[in-house]
Amino acid sequence: MDSNDDRPRLSGPGTRRYRFDFAPPTFVGRVVGFVVGAAMLVLAFVFSIVVFAVLAALAVIAGGWLWWKTRHVRRDLREAQARVRPNEREVRGEAVVVRPDDASDAAPR
């Protein structure tokens, strides 16, 4: 490897300083670096605000859709709650009435 090339390289372990081997930046270079870094931070912040706003809008749309689709269920639950007397329970389900005379007509299992 040629030691006169222009690529930045790390100083070796003999110096005990690991840094790039190029001239330190000038004052103008530091100012430009600061301005570019600050601009990148501002752009990242704006991007994150836009992403969060889009996600919030999607969440509101999805919540509104779910609310609209379940309005009949909520109405039915309110009506069922109004029919139940205090201190009583309502049990919903299906039941089959089996009479003794119908049991002989059923097919064996």
Side-chain angles (χ1 to χ4, degrees):
M1 180 170 162
D2 187 15
S3 63
N4 292 332
D5 57 0
D6 292 332
R7 293 184 306 170
R9 53 195 165 99
L10 289 172
S11 56
T15 61
R16 295 205 180 262
R17 292 187 322 206
Y18 293 97
R19 61 187 178 124
F20 285 103
D21 191 19
F22 56 83
T26 62
F27 177 74
V28 175
R30 288 182 182 178
V31 169
V32 169
F34 176 78
V35 169
V36 168
M40 294 297 283
L41 282 174
V42 168
L43 287 176
F45 184 68
V46 169
F47 178 74
S48 68
I49 288 175
V50 169
V51 167
F52 288 137
V54 168
L55 289 176
L58 290 176
V60 167
I61 290 170
W65 178 82
L66 184 66
W67 177 80
W68 182 255
K69 289 295 184 179
T70 60
R71 69 190 187 279
H72 297 296
V73 175
R74 288 191 313 274
R75 183 188 62 210
D76 293 343
L77 287 174
R78 278 193 304 271
E79 290 172 359
Q81 187 67 30
R83 286 193 307 261
V84 176
R85 293 184 206 143
N87 299 326
E88 289 188 1
R89 290 183 354 188
E90 177 181 356
V91 178
R92 295 182 136 201
E94 293 184 17
V96 177
V97 177
V98 179
R99 295 191 178 109
D101 57 332
D102 292 340
S104 62
D105 297 336
R109 293 184 191 190

